[in-house]
Amino acid sequence: MTDPQNVHYLRREAPILSAPVELKKACRNTRLNASAQELFARWPNLRESSQRLTSLLTLHYPDPRKEGESLLVNCLASGFVEADKAIRKNNDDIAEQKAFIGRVSEELVHCLELTLMMKVKGSWTPHDVITHGYLDEIVNASMSEELSWVEKPQAAFNSPSAKVLCASRVFTMKELKLAGLI
């Protein structure tokens, strides 16, 4: 395959930092860092899930709906806003968790709107977000030279189970059940 038409390009110049460090950066970029700190203080499991989300997407995964923006940052921001609304409305910790998990899952499915292409040994090959490794591992692996996101939805994008497929890469079964996703 020749050089694809790019939505976003990432050259392997420096490794991606650890998920906790990248998550801190993403939370700052949401401009909702106080909400993030409160949520994660009450629910350490949601911090762990958010770290998996950070490993899956990294700050580099573009949001196909908003040019120049990070899907990770937008997933987290939407989750923090929904969790905050739920806790203020119901003063219910369980509703807060459900809101965060549900909203992040709704946003995360948009990663399937793009096809991630990896350049390895001069050839471009597609990467399936659902079945292959986390993006931070791919970027830090010595085999990938460049990454590019192409405006081509993955087959799973139109599937009724797309949200659950994506969410299962981030959240535990217990969290998915709590949010009513399974």
Side-chain angles (χ1 to χ4, degrees), residues 165-181:
L165 286 170
C166 292
S168 68
R169 299 277 298 176
V170 173
F171 297 104
T172 65
M173 294 299 274
K174 184 177 178 181
E175 290 166 338
L176 294 173
K177 284 180 183 177
L178 175 70
L181 295 172

Side-chain angles (χ1 to χ4, degrees), residues 73-146:
V73 171
N74 291 339
C75 283
L76 290 169
S78 294
F80 297 147
V81 167
E82 287 301 311
D84 193 49
K85 285 180 192 174
I87 196 75
R88 288 177 192 268
K89 179 180 178 184
N90 302 324
N91 197 24
D92 179 358
D93 290 343
I94 300 301
E96 179 185 40
Q97 280 193 89
K98 286 181 181 180
F100 180 81
I101 296 164
R103 191 68 209 148
V104 167
S105 298
E106 289 284 334
E107 294 293 314
L108 179 57
V109 77
H110 292 286
C111 74
L112 298 176
E113 281 189 56
L114 302 173
T115 298
L116 173 58
M117 302 296 291
M118 293 184 347
K119 189 174 186 180
V120 180
K121 296 181 183 176
S123 296
W124 289 98
T125 57
H127 170 77
D128 185 347
V129 188
I130 302 292
T131 59
H132 293 115
Y134 288 88
L135 186 56
D136 65 348
E137 296 167 350
I138 292 165
V139 170
N140 289 333
S142 60
M143 63 181 229
S144 60
E145 300 162 12
E146 295 177 50

